[in-house]
Amino acid sequence: MSHKLDYIHEQLQFLEKDMEDSLALKSHSWQFLEKEQKESAQNLIRYLTLRNKDIRELQDKLHEKGLSSLASSESHILRQIQNIRKWLGHVYHEDQLDPCTHSSGREKLTSRSNKLFGKKPEKGIPHLMVTFDAEFSSDLEKVKSLLQKGMDVARINCAHDNPEVWKEMIHQIQKASQETGLDCKIYMDLAGPKIRTKLLGKGSEKGKTKVQEGDLIWLTEAQKHVDKKGIWISPGEKGVINSLLPGERVYIDDGMIRCVVENLEEHKVALRVERVSTKKSFIKNNKGINFPDSRLNIPSLTVYDKSCLAFICQHADLIGYSFVRTAQDIAELRKALLKISITYPHIILKIETKEAVDKLPELLLEALKEPAAGIMIARGDLAVEIGFERLSEIQEEILWICEAAHLPVIWATQVLESLHKFGLATRSEITDAAHAGMAECIMINKGPYTEKVLEFLQNILKRRSSHRIKKRFIFRPLKIAERFFKS
């Protein structure tokens, strides 16, 4: 062998051994799973072992020799390494080869996607989820049109409206499905903790107060001793105040206002405003607050969420778990659902906090205890939590890691938002929509141009699907090349 081939063979051997050592170290997280889920958990741990190392030099040498650089092997990482080693002359007994192959990994992901979202008539095109508005509850023709334009999952957000409205929405979906012959899954989002602004001091009567850089904001859960001349805000959930530490960042209104915890006092916290990124520099009631550096001592599953579970178990196919942060959160939801029914909707974990990103592997391993489960990249809150500049990187990492676990992903928040609101997409939104094609499902928000968005999005996705499968590029003939040789 040449020096480069010796290096490749040695590094691949080390990787294979490290993967087996990692499996033994983390055996408690996979050994009691069912066979299908166990293979996925093992593949996930092996992939994370690989991604805990810098293998860029190895990849360059693999590429130079015309071998797989491991760059698109998330679903079958050990088998890919073993295949390369076989090409280099290493001999395996059949029982030494990992059963998780390229085809079986894809089959697992497809099977779980079908369980969650239904069978997709057109390969390569993700499922399309549409967020329902209250007005849809009385507009059968609108719902039929959405189905005919490509919607195959309807999203109902339990943070809005009430069971009577939800029931009417579901009735229209079922009736439209029956009349069109098109299937549609029903997804219901738990509201989660409502960490939102409530003005207690200055501006409380008008519902808004002006703020500028350098201002002091007091965060409190009690209205006692509130100074009406100062800026006082309640975060809306008990337990937030006691979770904060000096120096931690606090974002208000989708990150428009950035503060830092300056001082802790009894029953209140002083925040100093560091940045205001909007011309209309007001804090208003009912705006979101994010604490990316803090470990909030509040439950992910709220009392209100628990009150919705019976309805969801009766009517929904999928349940979205907002504000999930730990494996224990999933176990608590499972326990609450089992009190209602032995069979319950498939769980979708909404990744919307920095803590959820940090603990993603543990969340996926817990999710693999389910026959099928999914992940939603909730990019709105997530961008605020991790920083807008990191969103592109993190959303790809989530896609890779979920593919390694063979768990379907929903790409959510502001897909073709300008088209949806104003009838015309921006150039960057078109690129983002094409990127969304790496997920198994794409969620569309509410807006006046929903049908147009569905048509436009499918056009983009069909074009993309002929060039890429997940993150792997595929080569169909290009018109540019055809025209070149014809000329």
Side-chain angles (χ1 to χ4, degrees), residues 23 53 81 185 211 247 287 336 399 442 479 485:
L23 275 190
K53 303 176 184 299
I81 289 172
K185 298 289 186 181
V211 65
K287 294 297 180 181
L399 284 165
I442 301 172
K479 289 291 183 184
F485 286 107

Side-chain angles (χ1 to χ4, degrees), residues 66-77:
L67 298 167
S68 165
S69 65
L70 305 175
S72 301
S73 309
E74 282 77 9
S75 65
H76 58 292
I77 189 61

Side-chain angles (χ1 to χ4, degrees), residues 244-245 247-251 258-261 271 274 290-294 354 384-387 389:
L244 305 184
L245 296 172
E248 292 180 339
R249 292 168 299 162
V250 178
Y251 289 99
R258 186 182 74 193
C259 310
V260 65
V261 176
L271 309 178
E274 290 190 332
N290 294 87
F291 303 88
D293 303 325
S294 310
K354 183 178 181 296
V384 179
E385 287 269 327
I386 64 174
E389 69 282 1

Side-chain angles (χ1 to χ4, degrees), residues 178-437:
Q178 187 178 18
E179 291 189 12
T180 60
L182 298 169
D183 292 332
C184 186
K185 298 289 186 181
I186 295 168
Y187 166 96
M188 296 190 74
D189 254 333
L190 294 173
K194 292 185 178 180
I195 307 176
R196 296 189 172 275
T197 56
K198 182 182 178 182
L199 292 169
L200 303 176
K202 188 165 66 173
S204 58
E205 293 180 1
K206 293 182 178 180
K208 66 178 184 178
T209 185
K210 193 168 180 60
V211 65
Q212 57 188 9
E213 292 174 6
D215 280 353
L216 194 68
I217 297 174
W218 288 98
L219 205 61
T220 182
E221 291 168 6
Q223 285 189 283
K224 294 179 182 178
H225 314 300
V226 168
D227 177 8
K228 291 293 183 181
K229 294 181 180 179
I231 303 174
W232 289 74
I233 298 172
S234 166
E237 291 283 345
K238 291 183 179 180
V240 170
I241 299 297
N242 295 333
S243 304
L244 305 184
L245 296 172
E248 292 180 339
R249 292 168 299 162
V250 178
Y251 289 99
I252 301 172
D253 194 3
D254 287 335
M256 293 296 180
I257 299 167
R258 186 182 74 193
C259 310
V260 65
V261 176
E262 187 171 278
N263 190 30
L264 307 177
E265 297 186 18
E266 191 175 6
H267 306 305
K268 61 183 179 180
V269 173
L271 309 178
R272 184 68 64 180
V273 178
E274 290 190 332
R275 187 198 69 206
V276 179
S277 302
T278 174
K279 292 180 181 179
K280 297 178 180 179
S281 52
F282 289 94
I283 294 178
K284 297 180 181 179
N285 279 328
N286 208 35
K287 294 297 180 181
I289 315 177
N290 294 87
F291 303 88
D293 303 325
S294 310
R295 292 289 182 260
L296 300 183
N297 185 27
I298 59 175
S300 295
L301 191 65
T302 67
V303 173
Y304 174 74
D305 290 337
K306 290 177 181 177
S307 73
C308 297
L309 292 181
F311 184 97
I312 292 172
C313 283
Q314 184 180 354
H315 297 284
D317 302 294
L318 307 163
I319 178 170
Y321 197 1
S322 300
F323 207 71
V324 62
R325 293 165 292 166
T326 67
Q328 183 58 34
D329 290 338
I330 304 171
E332 287 178 9
L333 175 60
R334 185 185 297 118
K335 183 179 177 181
L337 289 168
L338 284 170
K339 287 181 180 178
I340 299 166
S341 175
I342 297 174
T343 58
Y344 49 81
H346 296 301
I347 297 172
I348 304 294
L349 307 180
K350 295 176 66 177
I351 307 302
E352 54 190 338
T353 67
K354 183 178 181 296
E355 188 174 358
V357 172
D358 293 343
K359 295 180 179 177
L360 183 63
E362 291 90 340
L363 294 176
L364 300 186
L365 288 166
E366 184 67 27
L368 282 168
K369 293 179 181 178
E370 301 291 323
I375 304 299
M376 176 182 282
I377 309 177
R379 301 187 301 159
D381 279 314
L382 185 58
V384 179
E385 287 269 327
I386 64 174
F388 285 84
E389 69 282 1
R390 290 198 66 206
L391 180 62
S392 176
E393 171 193 14
I394 293 298
Q395 64 191 14
E396 289 220 35
E397 289 183 17
I398 294 171
L399 284 165
W400 302 337
I401 293 170
C402 288
E403 186 178 358
H406 311 129
L407 289 175
V409 174
I410 302 170
W411 183 282
T413 316
Q414 292 186 322
V415 175
L416 296 173
E417 189 81 351
S418 297
L419 173 60
H420 212 169
K421 288 183 175 178
F422 310 114
L424 183 65
T426 65
R427 293 164 181 80
S428 58
E429 284 176 343
I430 294 169
T431 303
D432 177 68
H435 207 62

Side-chain angles (χ1 to χ4, degrees), residues 137 156-158 160-171 188 304 307-312 315:
S137 63
I156 297 172
N157 189 351
C158 294
H160 303 294
D161 307 312
N162 55 60
E164 287 74 26
V165 176
W166 305 338
K167 197 167 185 177
E168 282 302 310
M169 289 180 183
I170 292 166
H171 173 70
M188 296 190 74
Y304 174 74
S307 73
C308 297
L309 292 181
F311 184 97
I312 292 172
H315 297 284

Side-chain angles (χ1 to χ4, degrees), residues 15-33:
L15 282 174
E16 190 167 350
K17 183 181 184 304
D18 286 347
M19 288 178 179
E20 296 316 300
D21 290 344
S22 296
L23 275 190
L25 181 67
K26 297 291 186 180
S27 62
H28 61 279
S29 63
W30 57 262
Q31 60 184 348
F32 299 114
L33 296 175

Side-chain angles (χ1 to χ4, degrees), residues 28-87:
H28 61 279
S29 63
W30 57 262
Q31 60 184 348
F32 299 114
L33 296 175
E34 298 293 329
K35 182 179 181 294
E36 288 287 310
Q37 280 73 13
K38 184 182 291 187
E39 287 183 6
S40 297
Q42 290 175 337
N43 189 69
L44 170 61
I45 292 167
R46 287 168 176 146
Y47 180 72
L48 292 169
T49 303
L50 178 77
R51 298 312 305 266
N52 194 35
K53 303 176 184 299
D54 188 340
I55 64 162
R56 285 174 287 185
E57 184 180 352
L58 172 61
Q59 286 182 300
D60 284 342
K61 288 180 167 53
L62 286 166
H63 192 69
E64 286 172 15
K65 294 297 181 182
L67 298 167
S68 165
S69 65
L70 305 175
S72 301
S73 309
E74 282 77 9
S75 65
H76 58 292
I77 189 61
L78 175 59
R79 189 58 176 262
Q80 190 77 341
I81 289 172
Q82 291 176 330
N83 286 339
I84 299 169
R85 292 190 69 195
K86 283 169 68 177
W87 279 109

